Amino acid sequence: MADESPHPARSGADRPVIAGLLLAAGGGRRLGGRPKALLPFRGRPLVENAVRVLREAGCGPVHVVLGASAAEVRERADLRDCVVVDNPDWERGMGSSLRVGLRSLAGTGAAAALVSLVDQPGIGAAAVARVLAAYRSPTSLAAAAYDGERGHPVLFGSARWDDIEETATGDRGARAHLTEHAQELSLVECADIADAFDIDTPPDLARLT
């Protein structure tokens, strides 16, 4: 597909600006209502690890979408140099957080957004950097894959943001866009360097070591 915007924003060494968009609004319903952003990980809130991963991979700026216990997360977590936005409708699912996050990127000049989830600490900077490297133009569409199965993070070129905002609903997030444009999606295998487990239930907490 042709690049519809031949002059995307650039950062350092003529690299495109790719924003990190961290979805960290979940209330941890199956964890007894413990906000996922504040789960302890190596002595600090889990959201700090996710921000660090995005930065180490080369994303910038980093936008963080909060929801459950947003005020407490802001107080307890070190989110300096991040753009932090609240999703008042976080209980409606990931789609609402994705919309809020993409809207917050409007006007930043970012050529793409690299979307990650706060509750996947097994995905480190190496995997994020691989997906980041799949950027080609503002129409780019790429996702990490684990043994061939699509997962996170996902990279959305800025030319796709409007459509994603219109179609992202409930906990399906951008699934409708990804399904409709499956032929344009580049899968980036990351199973050799990352473990894409989620922290969803009490037994999963044992993986936060």
Side-chain angles (χ1 to χ4, degrees), residues 82-93:
C82 294
V83 175
V84 182
V85 293
D86 292 343
N87 174 18
D89 297 320
W90 64 269
E91 290 181 285
R92 295 187 178 182

Side-chain angles (χ1 to χ4, degrees), residues 104-130:
S104 77
L105 290 172
T108 63
L114 191 293
V115 180
S116 68
L117 308 181
V118 73
D119 65 344
Q120 294 188 320
I123 300 175
V128 175
R130 273 192 189 176

Side-chain angles (χ1 to χ4, degrees), residues 10-182:
R10 298 274 162 175
S11 174
D14 202 37
R15 291 184 297 109
V17 172
I18 300 180
L21 179 54
L22 176 62
L23 306 186
R29 178 177 52 83
R30 287 182 286 173
L31 293 168
R34 301 171 64 184
K36 290 188 175 184
L38 289 176
L39 292 174
F41 181 66
R42 299 175 181 172
R44 297 298 303 167
L46 188 57
V47 66
E48 292 183 12
N49 172 73
V51 167
R52 176 187 58 78
V53 165
L54 288 173
R55 286 187 174 141
E56 288 184 357
C59 293
V62 173
H63 287 220
V64 181
V65 180
L66 300 180
S69 302
E72 185 180 0
V73 176
R74 288 173 181 267
E75 179 180 347
R76 291 177 52 191
D78 182 359
L79 298 176
R80 74 183 77 181
D81 300 324
C82 294
V83 175
V84 182
V85 293
D86 292 343
N87 174 18
D89 297 320
W90 64 269
E91 290 181 285
R92 295 187 178 182
M94 187 191 307
S96 63
S97 290
L98 182 57
R99 290 196 302 272
V100 167
L102 290 176
R103 287 170 191 158
S104 77
L105 290 172
T108 63
L114 191 293
V115 180
S116 68
L117 308 181
V118 73
D119 65 344
Q120 294 188 320
I123 300 175
V128 175
R130 273 192 189 176
V131 179
L132 210 63
Y135 175 84
R136 296 293 180 269
S137 80
T139 62
S140 287
L141 184 63
Y146 302 91
D147 296 324
E149 295 294 323
R150 189 186 76 228
H152 282 86
V154 183
L155 183 142
F156 299 110
S158 58
R160 298 181 179 275
W161 295 354
D162 287 347
D163 183 67
I164 293 168
E165 285 187 42
E166 292 177 4
T167 58
T169 58
D171 281 325
R172 294 177 58 83
R175 198 173 304 170
H177 185 89
L178 290 166
T179 299
E180 181 179 353
H181 299 277

